[in-house]
Amino acid sequence: MITTADERSWKYDRPLLFLGEWCKQYDRKAVWSSLDAVVAEPYGLDAARKRRDVAYVQALADQLLIELTAEMNAFHGVQHGVRYWNIVLGHWLQRYVAVVFNRYATLEQAFKKYQISGSTVFVADGYCLAAPDSDGFVRGCNDPVWNHVLFANILHFMGHCELEIDSEALRGVQGLASDVGKPAITPERGLRHKAVDAVTGMLRMFYRNSDAVISGTTLPLPVEAKLQLRLGQVPQLWPSPSLSRVEFDLERRKQFVINTSEAGGLKKFLRAQLPDLIPACYFEGYAQLVRDAEALPWPANPKFIFTSVRFGADELFKAWAAAKVEQLGTPYYVGQHGNNYGTHIYAGNAKWPERVTSDRFFSWGWSEEGTNAAPAIIFREAGRQAERYDPAGGLLLIEKCNPPMTWPWDRYAEFDRYQEEQFRFVEALPARARAALTVRLHYEHSGYRWFEDQRWHDRCPDARLEKGVARLRDMIAQSRLVVHSYDSTGFLETLIANVPSICFTQDTHELAADACPYYQMLREAGLLIESPEATAQAIEQHWDNVDAWWNSPTVQKARLAFCARYARMTEDPMYTVKNLLTESN
């Protein structure tokens, strides 16, 4: 059995089972296509299975958070509550449980379905699976060596097959590099950082210790600044400095033990493996993280804290916010930052830390009974100039990138199916629409080694590719119709801007129950289509007069009803947000 794309673990003289499509990197097709090999059935793609697994994983995470709270307090000599630790490390913990569950269940399924004689595993005493921070953990989940070592640990724990130990492959390697998958610092990004630092320094002379900390709201910066002025304070940016670097301490990690006596199988492995996977910023670097957070030149007694993005991977912000919430009772508000909240069974559902720990969660328009969700607006569109489009322009297909392998099911295999659907859609287009087509790759596509440009060249060599560099707004302005290849924030943005759009996706089996009637309205109006061929047929039908279809009463009624629920905008968005903040406080 092969668990990785790292070919040092492969055998070439016997039948092979690739545990997943991630083992077969597209640029190495010449190697793996000639082998006597099959790919194991992907885990967890059935809709009912997804729902069961999501519930199971999140229940496990809830229980583990309680246990981890006690252990972290004892280990670090502190006395913080569950809410504090959920703000600080809850996002990492949710993903940790989902990742280990997925890898464990994938191996269990493989042993049930296939006769596996053995596997080669890399073993190194000095290798640590921990990342520097939660963002590094997400990047690591797509790293071939990191995944292989995690699979190897599970194989050792299960004991189901003979393992051939390779102690040379990782000799001298301590673990995941801190910069794996990080975007490069370009000169342009460097200049932006310097400009932010300069502006921050000037504004900081005018802040008060009682000012609200409003940062990373996804409101356009001018709108966010005006909101702060309306609240009676000088606008601030509050950037976080880089985390202090710390070294992994493997001996100290061995002393951190979570009781496994009453657990077995996956539950036991989750607890036993956690000391090797908890990010350094929560372990070796925790004391320094707290000191750095306390030293931030931010308000000592903020009126409230409001963010839409910094709760996830901004470690200093989270440590600072958690302390203020726990010590001072500072109101903590979180805004929605992506489209899946309120609609998806897993992404952004009511179990995620930003929703559990916040005093109020400001949605893009929806509400949910029994939760703290309050209808607000689609923050990122407040005050923006409406998108333009060209009724005689081209056809734009907007792609997503291969996602991190951080969910309970096999997202790599799911993306492989998605890619095939994209090709089928383009191949089914009428010639005149296909000639006007531009395929816009996701701007992060190169970071996950899916080799989209090469795949498109091999399958649809005449397709015009834009590799995620051009401004999407400019591309929309040159198009008569935009096809979103997944249920995305971009689809909501073109709907609210009244730009002719179709969402072509099969992800609708992952919808929350409350969202189903609204998506059904989109289906009936032809705005949501689940088949590549049916999408191509709809484009052929509307191509000569897209505006007539788009402005029809059926389409506009569905568009407006959907936006009112999931992409709400008001006449005075700043007034709406200000009222929510002041009423909540």
Side-chain angles (χ1 to χ4, degrees):
M1 178 171 62
I2 306 298
T3 66
T4 177
D6 191 321
E7 295 169 19
R8 293 176 295 177
S9 71
W10 295 15
K11 301 295 183 185
Y12 298 88
D13 60 349
R14 66 199 71 177
L16 301 175
L17 174 71
F18 287 119
L19 190 57
E21 289 290 343
W22 63 84
C23 298
K24 300 160 52 185
Q25 288 196 166
Y26 193 76
D27 66 333
R28 300 292 294 169
K29 187 174 182 179
V31 176
W32 50 256
S33 62
S34 63
L35 298 177
D36 180 9
V38 296
V39 179
E41 179 183 329
Y43 175 78
L45 298 186
D46 174 73
R49 168 59 64 187
K50 284 183 178 181
R51 293 178 184 273
R52 289 195 297 270
D53 287 348
V54 163
Y56 182 73
V57 162
Q58 294 199 309
L60 276 178
D62 288 346
Q63 178 58 41
L64 195 53
L65 176 64
I66 295 170
E67 297 173 31
L68 191 56
T69 293
E71 297 299 336
M72 292 292 278
N73 282 341
F75 195 78
H76 290 303
V78 294
Q79 293 183 333
H80 296 307
V82 171
R83 186 185 185 192
Y84 171 93
W85 285 112
N86 205 5
I87 292 173
V88 171
L89 54 71
H91 260 268
W92 169 78
L93 183 62
Q94 286 274 350
R95 291 191 172 103
Y96 166 71
V97 175
V99 166
V100 174
F101 171 86
N102 169 263
R103 308 313 190 258
Y104 198 99
T106 298
L107 284 172
E108 277 193 324
Q109 177 175 274
F111 281 116
K112 288 177 182 177
K113 292 182 176 290
Y114 306 94
Q115 292 184 335
I116 300 169
S117 59
S119 186
T120 298
V121 296
F122 301 156
V123 175
D125 292 337
Y127 189 93
C128 182
L129 283 166
D133 52 28
S134 55
D135 191 43
F137 173 82
V138 172
R139 295 194 303 272
C141 290
N142 280 46
D143 179 73
V145 171
W146 188 93
N147 271 291
H148 171 77
V149 173
L150 179 55
F151 276 124
N153 290 352
I154 299 172
L155 287 169
H156 277 291
F157 178 81
M158 288 180 166
H160 290 341
C161 71
E162 182 178 342
L163 300 180
E164 180 179 317
I165 306 299
D166 182 341
S167 58
E168 294 297 317
L170 300 183
R171 184 179 295 276
V173 180
Q174 293 184 330
L176 185 69
S178 62
D179 59 350
V180 167
K182 273 191 175 180
I185 301 295
T186 62
E188 293 79 9
R189 288 184 67 210
L191 287 173
R192 283 198 299 271
H193 289 170
K194 289 179 181 179
V196 168
D197 290 343
V199 172
T200 299
M202 289 187 292
L203 293 175
R204 193 158 290 161
M205 295 186 291
F206 304 102
Y207 89 90
R208 298 167 301 189
N209 275 324
S210 60
D211 279 352
V213 171
I214 300 170
S215 179
T217 64
T218 70
L219 288 165
L221 277 178
V223 178
E224 188 177 283
K226 290 177 183 177
L227 172 64
Q228 295 189 58
L229 287 170
R230 283 197 183 186
L231 289 166
Q233 62 187 58
V234 176
Q236 303 288 339
L237 295 176
W238 313 120
S240 292
S242 298
L243 278 181
S244 298
R245 295 183 67 87
V246 294
E247 297 296 326
F248 296 125
D249 187 338
L250 298 185
E251 291 304 314
R252 192 174 178 217
R253 285 177 177 264
K254 291 176 184 177
Q255 300 167 19
F256 184 68
V257 178
I258 295 181
N259 185 14
T260 61
S261 60
E262 296 183 7
L266 168 67
K267 294 180 180 179
K268 182 174 184 177
F269 182 80
L270 269 170
R271 290 163 172 82
Q273 187 67 66
L274 193 145
D276 195 42
L277 269 150
I278 188 166
C281 64
Y282 310 136
F283 197 78
E284 294 91 347
Y286 175 72
Q288 186 63 50
L289 176 68
V290 171
R291 286 193 294 270
D292 290 347
E294 291 174 344
L296 289 169
W298 296 3
N301 189 12
K303 188 175 182 180
F304 61 80
I305 300 166
F306 172 39
T307 188
S308 297
V309 293
R310 298 182 72 174
F311 58 79
D314 191 329
E315 309 297 354
L316 276 170
F317 178 88
K318 290 187 293 179
W320 177 85
K324 296 301 179 186
V325 167
E326 183 173 73
Q327 295 167 11
L328 304 177
T330 303
Y332 179 48
Y333 308 132
V334 173
Q336 179 175 340
H337 74 278
N339 71 307
N340 289 144
Y341 287 92
T343 63
H344 198 279
I345 60 170
Y346 185 53
N349 72 15
K351 290 284 189 178
W352 279 90
E354 64 269 32
R355 296 192 58 190
V356 174
T357 62
S358 57
D359 291 289
R360 294 193 82 186
F361 180 83
F362 300 138
S363 78
W364 286 355
W366 53 270
S367 58
E368 195 172 65
E369 187 176 352
T371 73
N372 61 352
I377 60 168
I378 180 167
F379 299 108
R380 55 193 294 139
E381 292 302 298
R384 287 190 190 275
Q385 187 177 8
E387 301 278 7
R388 296 176 293 108
Y389 70 96
D390 181 356
L395 176 65
L396 179 62
L397 173 63
I398 300 177
E399 297 287 273
K400 65 180 178 180
C401 66
N402 189 16
M405 295 167 63
T406 57
W407 286 21
W409 56 87
D410 189 340
R411 297 197 79 193
Y412 208 96
E414 194 170 55
F415 192 81
D416 190 51
R417 295 180 183 181
Y418 160 88
Q419 182 73 79
E420 175 62 23
E421 289 167 1
Q422 303 309 298
F423 294 147
R424 283 168 51 199
F425 163 68
V426 172
E427 290 167 347
L429 281 172
R432 53 196 176 139
R434 185 167 178 173
L437 172 70
T438 298
V439 179
R440 206 266 185 174
L441 303 184
H442 194 279
Y443 71 96
E444 288 186 331
H445 75 276
S446 61
Y448 292 104
R449 297 183 62 77
W450 184 256
F451 304 97
E452 278 99 329
D453 49 352
Q454 188 175 337
R455 290 173 185 265
W456 276 102
H457 179 269
D458 292 348
R459 179 69 175 266
C460 302
D462 60 335
R464 185 186 305 111
L465 298 184
E466 198 291 309
K467 299 186 180 182
V469 177
R471 287 181 73 230
L472 192 52
R473 179 178 289 265
D474 294 338
M475 299 190 70
I476 291 171
Q478 298 165 10
S479 306
R480 75 175 73 178
L481 181 62
V482 179
V483 177
H484 298 271
S485 65
Y486 61 112
D487 186 11
S488 63
T489 300
F491 181 47
L492 296 183
E493 290 172 344
T494 52
L495 284 182
I496 199 171
N498 205 14
V499 170
S501 314
I502 290 175
C503 183
F504 153 46
T505 179
Q506 293 194 17
D507 291 344
T508 52
H509 55 272
E510 296 165 15
L511 291 175
D514 288 350
C516 290
Y518 294 90
Y519 279 79
Q520 183 59 28
M521 283 193 300
L522 296 184
R523 276 193 204 93
E524 291 171 357
L527 298 174
L528 176 66
I529 305 177
E530 297 173 2
S531 156
E533 290 76 18
T535 308
Q537 289 171 8
I539 291 171
E540 181 172 20
Q541 179 183 351
H542 305 315
W543 187 250
D544 290 330
N545 196 347
V546 169
D547 273 359
W549 162 72
W550 183 253
N551 292 314
S552 66
T554 301
V555 169
Q556 287 298 309
K557 181 180 178 181
R559 180 185 74 84
L560 291 170
F562 194 84
C563 287
R565 175 76 175 176
Y566 296 112
R568 181 172 176 247
M569 190 53 68
T570 58
E571 290 184 7
D572 188 342
M574 277 187 292
Y575 179 81
T576 302
V577 178
K578 175 180 177 291
N579 274 1
L580 281 170
L581 292 170
T582 53
E583 289 169 2
S584 301
N585 194 32

